[in-house]
Amino acid sequence: MNLGQALILSIIIAVIILENYGYGYWMFSRPVIAGPIIGLIMNDIQTGLLVGGSIELMYMGVLPIGGSVPPNAQIAGMLSTVFAITNGGRAEIGISLALPIGVLAQLLIMLAWNINIGLMHRADRFIDEGNIKGVERTHLLGLPIFFLVFFIPTFLAIFLGSDAVTAIVNSMPAVLTDGLKIASGILPAVGMAMLLKMMNFKKYWSFFIFGFVLAVYLELNVLAISLIALCIVMANVCLSKQNDSQDDFEDFDDEPTNSRVDRLIDKGVLKQTMRRSFFTMTSINYERYTSLGFCYSMIPTIKRLYSNKEDQISALRRHNEFFNCHPYTGNAVIGVSIALEESLAIGEGGVTFEAISATKSALMGPLSGIGDSVFKAVFMTIFAAIGAGMALEGNLLGPIVFIVPNVSLNILSRWYFIKYGYEFGSSIILKMKNSQLIDKFIEGATVVGLMVVGAMSMSFVKVPISLNWTFGEIEIVLIDLINSIIPGILSLLVVLGFYHILNKQKKGMFTCIGLSFVVGIVGKFLGIF
């Protein structure tokens, strides 16, 4: 690959991955969508679909919960696609590089988080001066920082590394390359096992088996099984309503706490705040996490409520305190904070500076839990599973099935969390926490997710044993014998075996990935595959 091609491709990759922290959390950089995008750019979309789908399944349960920074699936998916295509569309080569690339990306993100600490102290100085423009510019400096941290290593890897990878691949013996192909068929079991661990498998294991049975004996695809699962969940909701003495929605019929006609905050300010909320993670760091992003989102409110510079400085300071919450549900905290700031500005309700800070701290924890468990662990992974499954079949609708619901969720959740957080104040958050609505949603999503993963265990985990024996005129093929008892049982056992490892070992993910490569390569060498 020449200099110009490597430069352009590296810029595109850096811009795509930048959405994960810099602008919006749109999910465009997830392997299931980014792989095909890179494939389209490099004129090999089918390899992009295959590599992207495989790595999405492999990393599907690897999520940045709370303040953790796990191996990065996004860069792994894109660079693995590049290396697969530059090596003649050999998907197994790209897939085999996904783990080391993901670990390297993990280190790069940690570097950016540390660099951004300097932005916090720069912003503090501007806040002390009452320089709002300076605060805004400092926060947005996170964009070029993340871009450069992603762009430079990506360019070096593509420009200097693609030829090296090609040379290494060409020197590999056939048993090694064939073994990597076997491993690439086993690796999706890692992501599925991690999902089982996140989805309360011990309680709802029967739905996992049900999904597997539907795929094996009725030969239904993942989309059909997900629709059946959705019907089961909805039927359960309807039946449970007949037995409930009170509708869960009754608690939400109260009048908004901010129903005054003399509001200082109008819809325009809320919309401006919502647009800014797409940049809340731009300056994320290890000292105060997304505090500066929260402050950046609150600036339209601060400017509307306070004309006095000292009042603006005071508000900027209290909204640049430590803050860490899911980027969607965090908007509810922003909405509540806007309501409290408005009450403070007009001297209503006895709101104090301390009350605003305390409320933010109190809401941050439960809303983080809701965001991580509902939006990350359930919603995103269900559509990732369906989309990745379709991508592995070469279906161009796979990435679309994944991205459309996630983009819609991003936009709608950000707006309505701010809107209702402002209108109802902190009371709505407490009602959400105490209501059974969240529990029922998580339970239903878990059922759908487990049935989908059960179906995918059979469809996308490949254990192609080739052992056979001949006795006279009778040939016994081991895989046919096993499948005559329970079709696809080996794939199911691999997923359950990895799930057991993940429960027993803190670093079980690396053990499972390592085992996949060992089994594939050694098994091919011994003639098992």
Side-chain angles (χ1 to χ4, degrees):
M1 185 175 292
N2 63 43
L3 176 63
Q5 291 173 326
L7 189 63
I8 293 172
L9 192 57
S10 299
I11 291 173
I12 293 172
I13 290 175
V15 169
I16 293 174
I17 185 62
L18 190 60
E19 65 87 16
N20 193 42
Y21 286 103
Y23 61 94
Y25 209 64
W26 295 103
M27 303 295 175
F28 287 122
S29 58
R30 291 297 304 183
V32 68
I33 183 76
I37 290 174
I38 298 302
L40 180 64
I41 294 169
M42 299 184 70
N43 201 31
D44 189 354
I45 194 168
Q46 285 301 315
T47 299
L49 286 167
L50 182 57
V51 175
S54 297
I55 296 177
E56 185 66 53
L57 295 176
M58 175 179 167
Y59 276 91
M60 195 156 45
V62 184
L63 300 171
I65 302 297
S68 64
V69 182
N72 187 267
Q74 286 86 340
I75 292 184
M78 286 185 277
L79 280 182
S80 295
T81 301
V82 171
F83 290 134
I85 293 174
T86 55
N87 282 278
R90 300 171 72 173
E92 68 276 6
I93 301 301
I95 295 169
S96 67
L97 294 171
L99 179 61
I101 292 173
V103 173
L104 174 61
Q106 175 187 26
L107 298 176
L108 295 175
I109 292 170
M110 293 169 68
L111 172 63
W113 281 39
N114 279 293
I115 293 173
N116 284 347
I117 292 175
L119 299 182
M120 294 299 101
H121 300 287
R122 177 186 172 93
D124 287 338
R125 292 193 294 271
F126 284 125
I127 288 174
D128 291 339
E129 298 168 2
N131 185 347
I132 291 179
K133 289 293 184 183
V135 174
E136 293 173 327
R137 287 194 295 267
T138 299
H139 171 64
L140 294 177
L141 280 175
L143 289 171
I145 289 173
F146 271 114
F147 176 83
L148 291 173
V149 165
F150 292 137
F151 167 75
I152 294 173
T154 298
F155 172 74
L156 294 175
I158 293 175
F159 183 61
L160 301 178
S162 58
D163 291 339
V165 171
T166 300
I168 293 172
V169 169
N170 291 336
S171 65
M172 287 181 179
V175 67
L176 183 57
T177 55
D178 290 343
L180 291 175
K181 289 181 181 179
I182 303 298
S184 67
I186 298 174
L187 280 170
V190 180
M192 295 177 195
M194 297 190 75
L195 285 177
L196 295 186
K197 185 179 178 183
M198 297 173 66
M199 289 185 175
N200 200 0
F201 176 73
K202 291 182 179 179
K203 181 177 181 180
Y204 298 104
W205 62 268
S206 58
F207 292 100
F208 170 76
I209 300 299
F210 186 34
F212 175 79
V213 169
L214 290 176
V216 168
Y217 292 104
L218 297 185
E219 298 183 354
L220 298 177
N221 61 27
V222 171
L223 182 58
I225 291 173
S226 65
L227 293 175
I228 291 173
L230 183 61
C231 291
I232 292 173
V233 170
M234 295 307 298
N236 180 62
V237 170
C238 292
L239 291 173
S240 64
K241 279 187 177 181
Q242 297 177 4
N243 299 322
D244 289 344
S245 59
Q246 181 178 353
D247 191 346
D248 288 328
F249 287 96
E250 289 181 7
D251 287 341
F252 295 90
D253 291 337
D254 298 342
E255 288 294 321
T257 58
N258 281 346
S259 57
R260 305 180 312 271
V261 295
D262 58 337
R263 288 182 179 180
L264 300 177
I265 301 298
D266 56 23
K267 196 172 184 179
V269 173
L270 296 181
K271 286 185 175 180
Q272 190 177 359
T273 303
M274 181 260 198
R275 289 192 292 269
R276 285 178 173 242
S277 74
F278 288 106
F279 297 88
T280 51
M281 298 178 67
T282 300
S283 60
I284 190 170
N285 62 90
Y286 281 115
E287 182 178 302
R288 277 176 267 175
Y289 284 75
T290 59
S291 64
L292 189 53
F294 191 97
C295 182
Y296 177 78
S297 298
M298 289 294 296
I299 284 175
T301 296
I302 294 171
K303 291 169 71 174
R304 174 63 63 87
L305 295 177
Y306 305 112
S307 57
N308 183 282
K309 191 171 185 178
E310 290 303 317
D311 291 335
Q312 290 182 349
I313 292 173
S314 178
L316 290 169
R317 283 174 178 165
R318 62 177 165 268
H319 293 300
N320 195 30
E321 299 168 344
F322 178 90
F323 187 78
N324 183 29
C325 193
H326 187 278
Y328 299 170
T329 54
N331 275 25
V333 185
I334 294 175
V336 172
S337 297
I338 292 173
L340 294 175
E341 283 290 349
E342 185 180 43
S343 296
L344 177 64
I346 64 177
E348 180 186 71
V351 175
T352 63
F353 303 151
E354 294 78 9
I356 295 175
S357 296
T359 301
K360 285 172 56 180
S361 299
L363 297 180
M364 189 167 56
L367 285 174
S368 293
I370 292 172
D372 289 338
S373 62
V374 175
F375 296 142
K376 281 185 182 176
V378 177
F379 186 93
M380 187 196 76
T381 51
I382 286 175
F383 287 101
I386 297 172
M390 296 173 70
L392 288 177
E393 296 173 347
N395 192 334
L396 288 172
L397 289 177
I400 297 173
V401 167
F402 168 78
I403 198 62
V404 170
N406 279 284
V407 168
S408 300
L409 175 68
N410 190 2
I411 296 172
L412 294 175
S413 64
R414 286 182 188 271
W415 168 243
Y416 284 108
F417 274 128
I418 284 181
K419 181 177 184 292
Y420 290 117
Y422 169 67
E423 290 184 355
F424 288 89
S426 58
S427 61
I428 190 175
I429 311 300
L430 297 175
K431 289 176 182 178
M432 287 176 61
K433 185 180 177 182
N434 295 328
S435 172
Q436 294 183 4
L437 284 174
I438 296 297
D439 293 337
K440 287 182 177 180
F441 180 82
I442 293 175
E443 181 182 74
T446 299
V447 168
V448 176
L450 285 174
M451 288 184 64
V452 167
V453 175
M456 295 178 66
S457 298
M458 185 271 176
S459 303
F460 303 114
V461 178
K462 307 297 182 184
V463 190
I465 293 176
S466 60
L467 293 175
N468 62 82
W469 300 273
T470 301
F471 298 94
E473 297 182 354
I474 300 175
E475 182 181 18
I476 299 176
V477 179
L478 181 58
I479 191 65
D480 291 342
L481 181 62
I482 294 172
N483 287 335
S484 67
I485 302 172
I486 301 180
I489 187 63
L490 288 179
S491 299
L492 183 70
L493 292 176
V494 170
V495 173
L496 294 177
F498 284 170
Y499 168 74
H500 178 74
I501 292 173
L502 291 173
N503 279 324
K504 294 295 183 181
Q505 297 183 14
K506 188 174 181 180
K507 299 290 185 180
M509 172 194 169
F510 298 99
T511 301
C512 293
I513 292 175
L515 277 175
S516 299
F517 286 109
V518 170
V519 170
I521 295 170
V522 174
K524 186 64 181 179
F525 178 77
L526 296 177
I528 298 174
F529 300 117

